[in-house]
Amino acid sequence: MKKYLAAIVIAILLIGGGGFFAYVHFISGGPWQGTWWGVQDAGVNWSDDHIRNLETVTFTRNDDKTITVEHKVQQGSKEVDGSLSGTGVVDGGRLVVTPKKGGKDVALSYNTMSKTIELPLTNADKSAVTLKVLTSDNNDEMEQIRSDIVQISQKPENKIDTTLSSSKS
């Protein structure tokens, strides 16, 4: 009798877990909504500063079941449009994005264990850039990173001199 009771309890837990998984990924829209953020580590520059780019990606569901992807990158003191902006379609656990600036489709993948989205962008150490969902708990952390990036870019030794000097021959 105890064997059957244990089997029934396990079956109920599996069914409940499967229902929760279905709710999170299909009914609630899955991970492809809201704003996500992460940091691309570009390494150390000539002035020995740690250079990073803040990546933010906003997913907006459309009525036609596509997803509008808005990718912004904080590079130095400027926030620029990122290469991943476009229109996406859910394909299994991935989001296939057609970039609005043209080029090949890009696939974004969601890791259910770490609850992160892996981008096709790489860090200086060749690892993938990952995003986490933006929440009220980590918004201050993201804004601090943005502030650090802007401060580093404004250091005199990091300014790029675009003037050309002329030489007399």
Side-chain angles (χ1 to χ4, degrees), residues 24-68:
V24 168
H25 290 286
F26 301 108
I27 297 170
S28 73
W32 311 115
Q33 57 190 356
T35 301
W36 293 67
W37 71 280
V39 178
Q40 181 182 30
D41 180 357
V44 177
N45 71 358
W46 55 89
S47 61
D48 212 26
D49 287 307
H50 191 80
I51 303 301
R52 300 179 295 173
N53 295 326
L54 176 64
E55 310 279 342
T56 56
V57 180
T58 302
F59 302 103
T60 307
R61 290 191 167 275
N62 302 315
D63 292 337
D64 63 356
K65 297 190 179 181
T66 61
I67 297 173
T68 300

Side-chain angles (χ1 to χ4, degrees), residues 2-18:
K2 289 183 182 182
K3 289 181 188 179
Y4 295 118
L5 183 59
I8 290 170
V9 169
I10 290 171
I12 290 171
L13 289 174
L14 288 173
I15 291 170

Side-chain angles (χ1 to χ4, degrees), residues 61-79:
R61 290 191 167 275
N62 302 315
D63 292 337
D64 63 356
K65 297 190 179 181
T66 61
I67 297 173
T68 300
V69 179
E70 184 180 359
H71 177 210
K72 297 287 186 181
V73 182
Q74 184 74 40
Q75 293 178 329
S77 60
K78 296 180 185 174
E79 185 177 61

Side-chain angles (χ1 to χ4, degrees), residues 146-166:
R146 184 187 313 276
S147 176
D148 292 346
I149 290 169
V150 170
Q151 278 183 327
I152 288 171
S153 74
Q154 292 176 343
K155 291 170 79 174
E157 59 269 27
N158 290 330
K159 299 268 185 203
I160 296 173
D161 185 4
T162 57
T163 61
L164 297 174
S165 61
S166 60

